[in-house]
Amino acid sequence: MAKELKDIAYGDGLDGQLIDLYLPDGDGPRPLVIWSHGSGWLADTGRDDAEVVARRLNPHGFAVAGLAIRSSAQTRFPGQLRDIEEAIHHLRTHSISYGLDPERIGMFGESSGGWAAALAALTVDGIRAAVPVYPPTELLSMDEQMLPGTLQEFTRFPGSPYGHDDPESAESRLLGGPLQQRPQLARRASPSTYVGQDAPPFLILHGKADRIVPYGQGELFYEALAKAGADVELITLPHADHGPWNDFLTDPVVKRDAFTISSREGKETEARPCDPTWDTVADFFHRHL
């Protein structure tokens, strides 16, 4: 990597409102991939692993921005969405000084960072493609999709409900109260709500053995995008749990028996075996940025 710019403040520059920018060799303007790491919205650590992403994508000519947004302890939704909007506005406004192409921006993230990628791609102007990895996409339906026996892992205190509907769950904390008691806000915080015919291309990766964000979230999101006529691909890893996210692209054991389906211009392909790698991600962004 030729250049790193750390701790770039956006918005008020408070709490987690920071960006780390990794620029590849060569002259700009460069296409940009914005990365956000997951934390269940419990920490402002979205910049984590941005250097890992940059090491893989900088050689392909992409600039990489590690984006931190405020946690649910710092702000409630839609504060996180406002952070994403302000960060993208900052990067586009200062694109000349950073050597970025403001018209070629993609999103990439895992778990709640995948949620950020999906939500931004559907609601923020200028995002041309997104790669969400095991993202929450329809908050109100998460518990009904959970694998058998996994709801009990979400118990917070005696007598409370289990799962994502628990008043102390990550999703409830994001909304500022019990998830099922805030259905309108929960729908506003769900990327699937915003799927329409103008949706950009998506590459979704999700493991069927996910014990935290159920596979049905990725599957449901794919189906909604396909129905809307979007360019979308879903890579399914039958044996993959909820991370580590980089293993989805590098570990043969995690990737075993992976298969893909896609929908373009309303035409869906049959499921076929695949081997997701970093080249898969880079090729996707090359096609659409």
Side-chain angles (χ1 to χ4, degrees):
M1 292 169 287
K3 189 175 183 180
E4 300 178 7
L5 302 174
K6 298 291 188 72
D7 300 327
I8 301 169
Y10 68 89
D12 294 327
L14 300 175
D15 300 318
Q17 296 173 313
L18 296 170
I19 298 167
D20 290 343
L21 189 59
Y22 301 84
L23 301 172
D25 293 327
D27 298 327
R30 309 166 182 88
L32 172 66
V33 174
I34 300 173
W35 161 261
S36 188
H37 195 281
S39 69
W41 307 282
L42 299 175
D44 52 16
T45 52
R47 294 179 293 169
D48 286 3
D49 285 348
E51 187 172 358
V52 174
V53 179
R55 282 200 301 267
R56 296 289 190 165
L57 295 185
N58 278 170
H60 290 273
F62 297 104
V64 171
L67 170 61
I69 59 178
R70 287 173 294 171
S71 71
S72 57
Q74 295 162 329
T75 186
R76 306 301 189 186
F77 183 85
Q80 289 77 12
L81 178 56
R82 295 195 189 103
D83 283 357
I84 297 167
E85 292 170 340
E86 290 191 19
I88 292 171
H89 176 73
H90 175 91
L91 289 165
R92 298 188 78 186
T93 300
H94 298 279
S95 60
I96 293 176
S97 60
Y98 295 143
L100 306 175
D101 187 337
E103 303 305 320
R104 292 192 292 164
I105 300 177
M107 292 288 297
F108 184 17
E110 59 97 29
S111 196
S112 60
W115 168 89
L119 191 62
L122 293 169
T123 64
V124 182
D125 289 340
I127 305 302
R128 294 179 53 175
V131 180
V133 183
Y134 40 81
T137 62
E138 189 174 282
L139 304 187
L140 292 171
S141 66
M142 293 181 75
D143 273 4
E144 66 190 53
Q145 298 173 336
M146 293 289 283
L147 291 171
T150 57
L151 286 178
Q152 286 79 355
E153 298 176 8
F154 288 79
T155 305
R156 297 291 178 174
F157 51 86
S160 71
Y162 294 135
H164 300 277
D165 293 348
D166 188 307
E168 293 297 313
S169 73
E171 292 77 19
S172 293
R173 292 185 182 199
L174 174 69
L175 303 185
L179 179 63
Q180 295 293 342
Q181 294 181 22
R182 288 163 167 74
Q184 185 175 355
L185 186 58
R187 283 188 284 270
R188 287 179 57 201
S190 296
S192 59
T193 298
Y194 304 96
V195 170
Q197 60 183 8
D198 57 347
F202 275 87
L203 172 64
I204 307 162
L205 293 91
H206 213 130
K208 273 200 165 184
D210 197 316
R211 300 170 63 85
I212 297 177
V213 177
Y215 172 74
Q217 292 285 293
E219 187 177 43
L220 179 153
F221 195 46
Y222 167 83
E223 291 171 352
L225 287 161
K227 184 177 180 179
D231 181 336
V232 57
E233 180 178 0
L234 171 63
I235 295 178
T236 298
L237 292 82
H239 311 291
D241 199 342
H242 195 75
W245 70 272
N246 195 23
D247 289 354
F248 278 45
L249 303 172
T250 60
D251 189 328
V253 174
V254 173
K255 297 190 295 178
R256 181 167 54 91
D257 302 324
F259 62 91
T260 179
I261 55 174
S262 62
S263 180
R264 294 181 177 88
E265 298 179 352
K267 298 179 180 179
E268 188 171 88
T269 63
E270 297 289 334
R272 57 181 176 80
C274 71
D275 179 21
T277 66
W278 275 101
D279 283 342
T280 305
V281 175
D283 289 348
F284 172 81
F285 283 126
H286 273 305
R287 288 198 307 274
H288 300 295
L289 297 188

